[in-house]
Amino acid sequence: MRFMIIVKATADSEAGKLPSTELMTAMGKFNEELVNAGVLLAGEGLHPTAKGARIHFDGASRTVTDGPFSETKELIAGFWLIQVKSKEEAIEWMKRCPNPFDVPSDIEIRQVYEMSDFGEAATPEVVAQEEALRARL
């Protein structure tokens, strides 16, 4: 099972405040544990939304809005993509994570869909296309 671990933004992360050397060191150690256990697939921090954009879709129409965006609690400051046996294992890993910020913060754990989760919509043609794309990655 794959899980996206979402590090929720804080006012500090949205202001562009960078982590301390101590936090970078602790996070590096945690990431090394994930790699050594063979569960880490990807992980990155994200620049503040002030450097980003959103695209709103409405039928064929597209509207682009430049950041920053409000509602810090709804924003993402970084992520990990891990592969583990269960949600409980993902939770146990993330409980070991250093606090990503010097203030109270949240990490959200979300399971990634697999093709088998889509039932009849995942026709053999759709599955073959997905497998071909993943092979090209």
Side-chain angles (χ1 to χ4, degrees), residues 86-133:
S86 66
K87 180 174 81 172
E88 291 73 26
E89 185 179 355
I91 290 168
E92 288 306 311
W93 271 110
M94 289 306 119
K95 284 169 58 177
R96 296 170 53 188
C97 178
N99 183 350
F101 302 103
D102 293 329
V103 297
S105 62
D106 295 299
I107 290 180
E108 183 176 326
I109 299 173
R110 303 275 302 276
Q111 188 173 350
V112 176
Y113 275 109
E114 304 295 343
M115 287 304 286
S116 61
D117 295 324
F118 291 103
E120 293 178 12
T123 64
E125 295 80 15
V126 170
V127 172
Q129 178 186 30
E130 180 69 18
E131 288 174 352
L133 289 171

Side-chain angles (χ1 to χ4, degrees), residues 6-132:
I6 301 165
V7 178
K8 302 299 246 175
T10 65
D12 284 349
S13 68
E14 277 297 292
K17 181 179 177 188
L18 297 176
S20 66
T21 301
E22 293 79 19
L23 179 55
M24 293 287 292
T25 301
M27 200 60 77
K29 183 178 178 185
F30 177 68
N31 287 336
E32 186 173 4
E33 291 176 27
L34 293 170
V35 169
N36 290 342
V39 301
L40 184 64
L41 301 175
E44 303 293 338
L46 302 174
H47 280 268
T49 62
K51 295 183 177 183
R54 284 186 179 161
I55 302 173
H56 176 75
F57 293 78
D58 187 1
S61 173
R62 308 292 186 263
T63 305
V64 177
T65 305
D66 289 326
F69 306 116
S70 59
E71 294 301 322
T72 302
K73 66 181 180 178
E74 301 298 326
L75 302 175
I76 298 171
F79 70 93
W80 286 277
L81 185 61
I82 63 172
Q83 187 163 11
V84 293
K85 294 178 183 157
S86 66
K87 180 174 81 172
E88 291 73 26
E89 185 179 355
I91 290 168
E92 288 306 311
W93 271 110
M94 289 306 119
K95 284 169 58 177
R96 296 170 53 188
C97 178
N99 183 350
F101 302 103
D102 293 329
V103 297
S105 62
D106 295 299
I107 290 180
E108 183 176 326
I109 299 173
R110 303 275 302 276
Q111 188 173 350
V112 176
Y113 275 109
E114 304 295 343
M115 287 304 286
S116 61
D117 295 324
F118 291 103
E120 293 178 12
T123 64
E125 295 80 15
V126 170
V127 172
Q129 178 186 30
E130 180 69 18
E131 288 174 352

